[in-house]
Amino acid sequence: MTDLRFAIRQLKRSPGFTIVAVTTLALGIGGSSAVFSIVKNVLLSPLPYEEPSQLVSLFQANPGEAITQAPVALPNFKDWEEDAEMMDGLAAWPLFSFSGLLMTGDGEPRELETGYVSGDFFRVLGVRPSLGRVMSREDDVEGNNRVIVLSDAMWRDRFGADSNVVGQSVTLDEQPFLVIGVAPRTLALPNPNIDVWAPLSLIDSTRISHQYRFVRWLVTIGRLDEDVSIEQAAAGMTTVASRLEAAFSQNEGWTDVTVVPLREELVGDTSSILWVLLGTMGLVLAISSTNVASLLLARATGRERELAVRNALGAGTSRLVKQLLVESVVLSFVGGTVGVILAFVGLDWMISLAGDRLPRAGEIRMDAWALGFAAALSILTGLAFGTLPAWWAAHRDAQAGLKEGARGSASGRIQWLRGALVASELAVAVTVVVAAGLLINSLSRLYSTDPGFDRENLHVLEFVIPTTYYPERSDYRAFYEQMLTRVASVPGVQSVGATHGLPGRGSGEGTGFEVPSRPSPDGEGYETLWRSISWNYFQAMGIRVIAGREFERADRSGSSHVAVINRSLAERLFPNDDAVGQFLDMGVDVEIVGVVGDVKHRGLRTDAEDVVYRPMLQHSRIGVGLVVRSAMPGTQILSSVRDAIRELNPNQPFTRMSSMQDVMGETVSQTRFVTTLLGLFAALGLALAAVGVYGVISYTVTQRKREIGIRMAFGARATDILRAVVGGGTRLSLIGLTIGAFGALASTRVLESQLFGVSANDPVTFVAVLLVLLVVATAASVIPALRAARMDPAVVLKEE
């Protein structure tokens, strides 16, 4: 306690030093604690379900085509449910989004985020309701399936947390649905934004041809029987798949089943990214600790006379070492406390920055583990950066301290130690800044990538046409036509088009076809993506028509079947012929009437894919991505467009309003998240390294005042002093940068999966980063060098 009180008094006596050291440590400890919270909750914590280690994901596999993880067809899933041995139950939900249940009545019509799940979904996860009951397999049957389970958020926001809601009937899709229960807050599947869970059987065959075994569209999970390993389960399920392949020709080749832990599947490739972020923040913490160690070492040498006097009065070496370590641990604990406050704020910002790309985001919080991590980090860093000053205290010459204390000189060994600390700071900073530079370069290339259309002044309104109001295809085709005509007349709209699958929203649906004039080499036909689009879609999107024409309003049901294909598909199918006028066999003969440019449908990171476009009035879907080109602000023009559509159907709900820039930006959100954080960490590391260089050079100048004064008295010019001081700082920096360059070459390979258009050892980035760091380090040397050059030798020698 005596040591503790003395340490606090010492820190109070040096408020400037204390504030700088505490701030430096708080940034390092706070950032590390925030990233640790994400890593711990996303990667290390068990899933919030009963016996989570028994939960697995299951996929159909086709060894002949090297497909290991494909979604499951509904008929196969039903057979799996009946025949799966070693499994204590299976559950499934759609891989892609279907239109949610429509709630009308009070206020704005709302399409509920609906999780369509199989009957055993809740039992397999081991989820117990907060109120009422959950669904069972009996509910997932035609005639019994007008039931819903509310999410905790929906129950609180829409029903005011009324416990009597269970058993009530609510009107959705103009039909009565029975509320049977309320799910716990921890349930975040199929996604964390679910409003209600409903039976999978509500998705009828008009929305997807789910009666076919080649239509694979279900995400499937299961619970292992006790004492059954994943390998045993995979072997058992593969036996079932082989049996189904022999029984049904549509399953030809699909003989295997892949089984992986559910947590591993949910986390995906986020694991490597988060470990990189934690490691990078650890490097920044090392830089901040090194900085504080350098400050403490300078402070200890400045207290050399004090320590020598205390030693002469009976304080042994161990006593002095303990005192210095207590001071460093107190400093780190104060820094850690401030760091925890910063971590609370920073964690929320990091989660919001990641958006929907961070799995299990709803479970992330600064819990007891994170606080314990911060406390342990505070102790360890305190001991780490306090060791060097303590070591110096144990090995110093007490008699020399009494003789030289008045002059405050430091030994060459201390100078060498501080120089080594700063060189190591710069070496670590190189690794962090190079990693950030590579990602910034990569992100810049992503944003400048041509997606195949003009993103400027392009606005998007996404919604689903409610089949409640338009039960037949002819009905919602008529709505399409009226809607596009009405929106085109809205003031400010330059052009408008529609598609059921916007670029940036995933691959969408695939289709198979034959080319009568050019049979496929393997005789099994061709496969490609397809998009249902309106007339004027290419004009609105700014997609170039290379040959032929785009669709016209006359291309509708009852007229000749037509298609437009993209350039890469035309080159693949008709390398030496004109594609326009050729025919595709898609169950009916479809004439190719145009060829358009390639579009990156899956996002900016991917290559353009082959696509067949079909007219919306011939081949429609209820999902709509309405694209509006206008120079007016997005919010203003989309509000006008929404009002125009509501004139046709007052109960039409809307899913999203955004710009096409934002839609494509979402496809690189993970890279943006990593780049932003690494860029922030790099800026922090760079600033700390610059402070370290400044501190060492400034301290060196202070210690060499007498020498500099003598040199100037014997005729040294100010420029000579300036060159000598800056040169010393530059030499020190070059040593650290050289070591750091080799370290960066070895460590940046872990970023390869996140880079686009740039290699992990890109020479331009390396050279640019090294030059920037050299300039920053040299600039940090200039200020103390100028101070040295302006010394008055008479004043300095008089002081000495």
Side-chain angles (χ1 to χ4, degrees):
M1 291 303 297
T2 301
D3 288 342
L4 181 61
R5 286 193 296 269
F6 183 76
I8 294 172
R9 287 202 306 273
Q10 286 289 92
L11 295 178
K12 282 182 177 180
R13 288 174 58 188
S14 307
F17 162 81
T18 303
I19 290 172
V20 171
V22 166
T23 302
T24 302
L25 289 171
L27 291 171
I29 294 174
S32 298
S33 299
V35 177
F36 171 79
S37 294
I38 297 176
V39 170
K40 182 260 175 186
N41 286 282
V42 174
L43 303 182
L44 305 179
S45 297
L47 296 175
Y49 308 119
E50 184 179 297
E51 297 296 335
S53 61
Q54 296 178 357
L55 294 173
V56 294
S57 290
L58 299 94
F59 304 89
Q60 288 189 252
N62 188 323
E65 297 183 14
I67 300 174
T68 58
Q69 294 192 0
V72 181
L74 180 62
N76 287 338
F77 171 75
K78 290 185 177 297
D79 288 332
W80 285 11
E81 276 192 307
E82 301 301 326
D83 299 338
E85 299 178 358
M86 305 184 202
M87 302 296 298
D88 188 29
L90 297 173
W93 61 82
L95 174 64
F96 41 83
S97 298
F98 283 89
S99 57
L101 297 171
L102 178 62
M103 175 178 283
T104 56
D106 298 336
E108 183 89 1
R110 179 180 174 189
E111 180 190 342
L112 301 181
E113 185 73 28
T114 306
Y116 295 102
V117 296
S118 63
D120 260 354
F121 172 79
F122 293 92
R123 188 187 70 80
V124 167
L125 289 175
V127 172
R128 294 179 175 81
S130 301
L131 286 175
R133 67 176 181 87
V134 292
M135 288 190 310
S136 64
R137 292 180 70 171
E138 288 72 26
D139 295 311
D140 192 18
V141 177
E142 288 285 345
N144 297 337
N145 57 5
R146 299 286 178 186
V147 297
I148 57 170
V149 174
L150 302 176
S151 70
D152 182 83
M154 183 73 173
W155 173 59
R156 295 178 187 279
D157 297 342
R158 178 65 179 78
F159 296 96
D162 181 6
S163 59
N164 295 319
V165 69
V166 175
Q168 291 184 14
S169 179
V170 297
T171 301
L172 304 173
D173 278 0
E174 303 292 330
Q175 299 285 337
F177 277 75
L178 181 67
V179 178
I180 61 173
V182 177
R185 186 178 302 177
T186 54
L187 181 56
L189 292 175
N191 71 65
N193 302 315
I194 293 293
D195 293 316
V196 296
W197 286 266
L200 185 65
S201 58
L202 286 172
I203 301 176
D204 58 37
S205 58
T206 64
R207 300 161 84 180
I208 186 168
S209 302
H210 53 48
Q211 69 270 28
Y212 300 114
R213 293 180 184 267
F214 57 76
V215 179
R216 291 173 284 276
W217 59 290
L218 291 178
V219 176
T220 304
I221 64 171
R223 178 173 290 278
L224 301 175
D225 275 334
E226 288 188 20
D227 301 323
V228 172
S229 68
I230 286 179
E231 292 75 17
Q232 290 171 325
M237 292 302 301
T238 295
T239 301
V240 175
S242 298
R243 191 160 59 242
L244 294 177
E245 193 241 6
F248 302 99
S249 60
Q250 292 179 357
N251 277 342
E252 183 178 356
W254 296 89
T255 56
D256 287 9
V257 173
T258 302
V259 181
V260 298
L262 178 59
R263 186 173 69 174
E264 179 182 310
E265 177 60 23
L266 292 178
V267 170
D269 62 353
T270 308
S271 175
S272 59
I273 295 170
L274 293 182
W275 285 119
V276 166
L277 289 176
L278 185 60
T280 304
M281 196 59 236
L283 293 178
V284 174
L285 178 61
I287 295 174
S288 63
S289 298
T290 304
N291 240 351
V292 176
S294 183
L295 287 171
L296 283 174
L297 192 58
R299 189 163 178 266
T301 54
R303 294 168 60 190
E304 186 171 10
R305 184 177 179 84
E306 172 209 330
L307 296 174
V309 169
R310 294 181 64 198
N311 186 230
L313 293 176
T317 299
S318 61
R319 184 76 182 81
L320 297 178
V321 168
K322 185 174 70 169
Q323 177 60 56
L324 291 175
L325 286 176
V326 168
E327 288 183 23
S328 64
V329 171
V330 168
L331 195 63
S332 67
F333 249 105
V334 176
T337 302
V338 178
V340 167
I341 297 172
L342 293 178
F344 273 101
V345 178
L347 185 60
D348 291 338
W349 175 76
M350 290 180 188
I351 295 172
S352 64
L353 178 66
D356 295 335
R357 299 285 176 166
L358 188 61
R360 306 181 66 183
E363 302 172 39
I364 300 173
R365 57 185 56 84
M366 284 290 294
D367 54 14
W369 280 98
L371 294 176
F373 176 82
L377 211 55
S378 299
I379 295 173
L380 291 175
T381 53
L383 293 174
F385 65 68
T387 298
L388 205 55
W391 174 86
W392 171 82
H395 292 81
R396 47 177 268 291
D397 186 341
Q399 288 188 357
L402 287 172
K403 292 177 182 178
E404 300 175 357
R407 203 168 60 207
S409 66
S411 67
R413 185 165 53 180
I414 294 299
Q415 289 291 91
W416 182 88
L417 279 174
R418 296 199 69 208
L421 286 174
V422 171
S424 65
E425 277 187 74
L426 285 169
V428 174
V430 169
T431 302
V432 178
V433 179
V434 163
L438 289 171
L439 285 170
I440 291 170
N441 191 352
S442 176
L443 190 62
S444 175
R445 291 170 185 255
L446 273 172
Y447 277 126
S448 62
T449 297
D450 180 11
F453 56 89
D454 182 6
R455 291 173 282 184
E456 296 296 325
N457 297 323
L458 194 60
H459 312 289
V460 177
L461 188 64
E462 298 175 75
F463 58 94
V464 175
I465 300 175
T467 54
T468 302
Y469 302 109
Y470 309 99
E472 302 296 331
R473 288 184 184 270
S474 58
D475 296 329
Y476 57 80
R477 284 175 183 168
F479 174 76
Y480 268 125
E481 195 165 9
Q482 295 170 15
M483 173 193 67
L484 290 169
T485 302
R486 180 71 187 85
V487 171
S489 66
V490 172
V493 172
Q494 297 169 354
S495 56
V496 60
T499 176
H500 83 284
L502 283 169
R505 294 290 189 226
S507 298
E509 297 181 57
T511 186
F513 62 91
E514 294 279 2
V515 181
S517 63
R518 192 176 299 278
S520 60
D522 57 9
E524 296 184 3
Y526 300 93
E527 289 188 2
T528 187
L529 297 179
W530 77 274
R531 288 286 188 271
S532 171
I533 65 170
S534 70
W535 70 94
N536 283 346
Y537 173 75
F538 296 127
Q539 177 187 343
M541 289 288 291
I543 299 173
R544 189 164 65 95
V545 178
I546 297 172
R549 66 175 177 87
E550 64 175 309
F551 296 134
E552 300 169 348
R553 197 162 182 164
D555 296 319
R556 59 195 308 121
S557 179
S559 65
S560 299
H561 292 278
V562 293
V564 171
I565 64 176
N566 68 322
R567 180 172 57 188
S568 63
L569 181 59
E571 291 173 351
R572 178 160 70 102
L573 297 178
F574 312 104
N576 301 314
D577 297 319
D578 186 358
V580 176
Q582 302 280 354
F583 283 85
L584 306 178
D585 180 0
M586 305 181 75
V588 295
D589 286 336
V590 180
E591 182 184 3
I592 299 173
V593 297
V595 177
V596 297
D598 295 337
V599 172
K600 291 177 175 286
H601 280 284
R602 287 191 297 157
L604 295 174
R605 293 188 67 93
T606 62
D607 295 329
E609 297 172 289
D610 295 345
V611 184
V612 171
Y613 297 95
R614 299 291 304 276
M616 188 170 279
L617 297 183
Q618 285 184 352
H619 212 76
S620 52
R621 284 288 187 266
I622 60 175
V624 179
L626 192 70
V627 291
V628 178
R629 187 166 294 281
S630 173
M632 295 175 64
T635 304
Q636 182 180 345
I637 191 64
L638 289 177
S639 295
S640 299
V641 169
R642 181 185 58 190
D643 294 341
I645 297 173
R646 285 271 169 80
E647 292 176 6
L648 300 176
N649 180 4
N651 290 324
Q652 175 62 56
F654 296 95
T655 307
R656 272 178 293 207
M657 295 194 303
S658 58
S659 70
M660 186 54 78
Q661 291 277 28
D662 291 339
V663 172
M664 297 306 291
E666 291 172 11
T667 67
V668 296
S669 61
Q670 189 176 79
T671 301
R672 187 171 61 242
F673 168 66
V674 179
T675 302
T676 302
L677 288 185
L678 268 182
L680 183 64
F681 297 163
L684 179 58
L686 183 59
L688 291 173
V691 169
V693 173
Y694 170 81
V696 165
I697 302 302
S698 182
Y699 180 76
T700 301
V701 167
T702 301
Q703 294 297 312
R704 294 176 61 191
K705 281 175 61 177
R706 185 168 183 268
E707 174 200 335
I708 293 172
I710 293 173
R711 285 176 180 271
M712 295 182 75
F714 276 92
R717 294 171 299 177
T719 53
D720 296 328
I721 301 300
L722 190 66
R723 189 182 304 113
V725 174
V726 173
T730 302
R731 285 192 296 273
L732 185 65
S733 302
L734 286 172
I735 294 172
L737 295 179
T738 302
I739 296 171
F742 286 105
L745 282 170
S747 60
T748 51
R749 297 182 186 277
V750 299
L751 293 174
E752 283 181 327
S753 64
Q754 293 298 308
L755 299 179
F756 177 85
V758 59
S759 71
N761 295 328
D762 178 52
V764 175
T765 303
F766 269 74
V767 171
V769 166
L770 290 173
L771 286 175
V772 167
L773 281 166
L774 182 59
V775 169
V776 169
T778 302
S781 305
V782 168
I783 297 175
L786 288 173
R787 191 170 70 243
R790 291 170 183 164
M791 286 182 183
D792 184 341
V795 174
V796 172
L797 293 176
K798 184 178 179 181
E799 289 177 353
E800 291 294 329

